[in-house]
Amino acid sequence: MTATRQDGVTGPVGDGAGRPRPPAPRAPRAAPPGDSGLARELLDGLAEAVLTTDGAGVVTLVNAMAAELLPEIVPGDPLAGCPVPDLARAVRDRTAEFDTEHRGRRLRGARRELAGGRYAWYVRDVTEEHARDEALLAERSRTAFLAQAGSRLGLSLDRDQVLRTAVTLAIPYLADAAVALHHPPPPGDARPHWHRYADGEPAPVAGVAPPELTGALPGVAEALAGEPVEPDGWPAAARAALAPLLPAGFDTLGPVLVSPMPGPAGAAGALLLLRRVGRPGFDRRDVELGREFSARVGAALSTAELYDAQAHLARVLHDSLLPPALPALAGLTLAGGYHAAGDSLRIGGGFYDVFPTGQGAMFAIGDVSGKGVGAAVLTGRVRQSLQTLRLVEQRPLELIGLLNRALLDAPDAARRSQLTSLLLGALDRLPAGGLRVRVAGGGHPAPLLRRADGTVTPVAVGGMAVGALPTARFVATQVRLAPGELLLTYTDGVTGACGGPDGGEPLGEARLRAMLAAAAGLPPAALVDRLLGSVDEWRAGQGDDDVAMLAVSPGEPA
């Protein structure tokens, strides 16, 4: 009977007497043969170069890879004097590692101590690994540069500031000098303008170039047309043409890269990246990076130009809404004031106008709902309609009714859904002195009447907003102004101005009446200035609504 014991030996369980038999002795393992040829064959098969030295530092072994990478090192020579400087220095200094460029390859070595004071050097060819690391670092650097460029270029909406930032960012990462050639948007100067920055300059500079410059510089005309341009050396004539745009001392012009700065309607300009003689040329990655950077500059320029165009439009519209200079009329003293909202480019709807008539004058003061271009368009429409309709109707109540119908008959009235508060008045000189004021209102704050004794009362004028309903009701009344008395009209931006101790309390009509009473005796112009100053002081220079006032008082007769 046989069995398998726990030690894996199969055999008889016992010796017949019930006693277990001892395990059979194992055969001893044979020692590896001392074959130096086999060891050498193994060393030669390694992908690393292996060098060994004896206790005196003399090379005793060079494997096949070492002979390929370091053919200058042979057995029998002292390693400390080998013709590989970084390795020899590491041996002399007893440094455990070295890194060197040798025969166009990148080598990295490490020393290991052997028995008997001997050493082995293991050397690896890390050229491809090093190239991959450098490519990764370069790509990270390019990405970081483009990220910084995008962030910096997006900080400004001013066209010239974008160009100054662009030429500054390019130095020294992309070039030794950068020139941005561009044409100002119409109706600007037709000559090419330029911004330049060079390494060592304290700040970018700008100027205007002669018209023939773009044709004298290779690739610039193509770049201005939006076409990509391959980098190339420039002939002497082109270098001479560019010289006036370069700083003094920049006379060693080397490689040049010209790239378009694209925009939505064509190239916004051309970016010239200039390197001095001695700096490497633009390789494929440099060209791609330069073009990508130029594209981002072009996008920033387009954004700045769009903003500038919109800002210019807002300024033109805003200026067109500013009240005109008041006419000088016999028997009338007029004074007006207007303060825009906190943002000087924010278009509001407050306005006033005065139209001379045979008996005196007509006035209008109103406020259009909303902000922006839509409010500006409606304000212009109201003012133009009044200019026309007053030629056929000068009675305030009838005129406001005609205006209401005209606004509702406009093609976009239903879509627009904007309303206008309006106060119309007719000022008639009285033979005995003073004025008769006929007033019609449509949803506008009631004017305030200041009597000669300083008392202030509102003039009851109600009515519905103009442009709201075809059947809207408007209200008219009339008052007489004796010499020394005054009628103040204003928009709701005055009483609605928020400020005070907590910054959120409206000024209100009661405070305005108290301010008007306290200014008794002031002529209309001084009165309006004081009231506007008090409103600005109340709202601490802040406000989201325009403020308009018009004061009327009898004047000296003709």
Side-chain angles (χ1 to χ4, degrees):
M1 176 178 173
T2 61
T4 302
R5 301 197 306 270
Q6 291 183 0
D7 59 4
V9 178
T10 302
V13 175
D15 57 357
R19 295 187 299 272
R21 294 181 181 275
R26 298 187 180 186
R29 294 182 178 178
D35 187 348
S36 60
L38 177 60
R40 181 56 187 251
E41 186 176 349
L42 292 174
L43 288 173
D44 287 343
L46 295 177
E48 287 183 316
V50 179
L51 303 169
T52 61
T53 62
D54 60 15
V58 175
V59 177
T60 58
L61 182 143
V62 176
N63 76 341
M65 183 55 69
E68 180 180 340
L69 296 178
L70 304 165
E72 303 88 347
I73 301 176
V74 294
D77 291 343
L79 193 57
C82 73
V84 182
D86 289 321
L87 174 56
R89 188 178 304 109
V91 173
R92 293 193 300 270
D93 297 343
R94 298 183 178 274
T95 305
E97 296 178 345
F98 76 91
D99 202 314
T100 189
E101 292 277 352
H102 186 66
R103 293 180 175 268
R105 308 298 293 176
R106 186 81 178 187
L107 304 181
R108 188 171 297 157
R111 188 186 66 177
R112 297 291 182 267
E113 188 173 352
L114 304 177
R118 296 174 300 159
Y119 291 95
W121 282 93
Y122 298 90
V123 182
R124 290 191 304 120
D125 183 353
V126 294
T127 305
E128 285 73 19
E129 178 184 334
H130 184 72
R132 286 194 300 270
D133 291 344
E134 284 192 333
L136 179 60
L137 291 175
E139 191 60 36
R140 287 178 176 173
S141 177
R142 292 183 178 94
T143 302
F145 170 76
L146 289 175
Q148 181 194 25
S151 175
R152 290 275 303 278
L153 290 169
L155 289 178
S156 176
L157 291 175
D158 178 77
R159 192 174 192 272
D160 286 342
Q161 181 59 41
V162 169
L163 290 166
R164 288 192 293 269
T165 301
V167 294
T168 304
L169 282 172
I171 309 304
Y173 189 78
L174 291 175
D176 298 308
V179 177
L181 280 171
H182 60 98
H183 290 281
D189 192 348
R191 295 175 299 172
H193 289 222
W194 54 268
H195 284 72
R196 181 204 73 220
Y197 181 70
D199 197 10
E201 285 192 298
V205 295
V208 181
E212 61 272 12
L213 177 69
T214 56
L217 303 179
V220 171
E222 291 83 352
L224 290 174
E227 301 175 9
V229 181
E230 293 299 324
D232 197 3
W234 278 8
R239 295 167 183 264
L242 186 64
L245 275 61
L246 297 179
F250 200 97
D251 52 0
T252 56
L253 182 60
V256 179
L257 176 62
V258 181
S259 297
M261 297 186 291
L271 182 65
L272 281 64
L273 301 176
L274 316 170
R275 292 182 175 179
R276 295 181 184 271
V277 170
R279 183 167 176 175
F282 294 93
D283 60 20
R284 179 183 59 83
R285 286 186 172 273
D286 290 339
V287 173
E288 292 175 355
L289 181 61
R291 289 175 178 168
E292 177 64 23
F293 175 65
S294 298
R296 299 196 179 200
V297 176
L301 273 179
S302 299
T303 301
E305 289 176 354
L306 178 60
Y307 174 81
D308 186 65
Q310 292 177 337
H312 175 71
L313 174 62
R315 284 191 294 268
V316 170
L317 289 172
H318 193 274
D319 292 345
S320 70
L321 297 180
L322 293 177
L326 296 177
L329 300 172
L332 293 173
T333 302
L334 304 170
Y338 178 86
H339 282 187
D343 183 351
S344 61
L345 292 180
R346 189 169 186 173
I347 301 173
F351 68 93
Y352 63 79
D353 274 315
V354 174
F355 316 113
T357 64
Q359 295 78 28
M362 292 193 69
F363 71 84
I365 184 168
D367 194 8
V368 169
S369 64
K371 300 290 182 184
V373 176
V377 170
L378 183 58
T379 301
R381 181 174 293 168
V382 170
R383 295 176 68 179
Q384 291 298 322
S385 298
L386 283 173
Q387 286 275 10
T388 304
L389 294 174
R390 74 179 179 85
L391 299 177
V392 297
E393 180 57 74
Q394 296 185 358
R395 293 172 297 176
L397 184 61
E398 286 73 9
L399 179 56
I400 202 170
L402 288 176
L403 177 64
N404 185 65
R405 285 161 51 189
L407 294 179
L408 289 172
D409 286 344
D412 60 343
R415 175 180 56 82
R416 187 177 65 245
S417 299
Q418 287 180 307
L419 309 178
T420 303
S421 71
L422 187 65
L423 200 68
L424 291 179
L427 307 173
D428 300 325
R429 291 184 292 264
L430 298 176
L435 293 173
R436 182 182 67 163
V437 184
R438 291 171 291 155
V439 185
H444 199 79
L448 299 178
L449 175 61
R450 189 187 70 188
R451 293 299 185 183
D453 60 1
T455 59
V456 177
T457 57
V459 177
V461 180
M464 301 175 65
V466 181
L469 296 171
T471 58
R473 295 179 61 254
F474 306 107
V475 179
T477 189
Q478 69 176 19
V479 296
R480 289 179 181 267
L481 295 180
E485 296 181 333
L486 178 142
L487 184 72
L488 177 71
T489 64
Y490 57 91
T491 61
D492 61 4
V494 176
T495 52
C498 291
D502 62 357
E505 183 179 357
L507 180 69
E509 183 183 314
R511 286 192 180 87
L512 180 61
R513 291 166 61 180
M515 293 176 182
L516 182 58
L522 289 179
L527 170 69
V528 168
D529 285 344
R530 174 180 287 191
L531 292 179
L532 287 176
S534 298
V535 172
D536 282 346
E537 183 179 354
W538 176 260
R539 65 183 185 177
Q542 303 297 319
D544 59 359
D545 200 1
D546 293 344
V547 170
M549 292 182 183
L550 180 65
V552 179
S553 179
E556 295 295 329

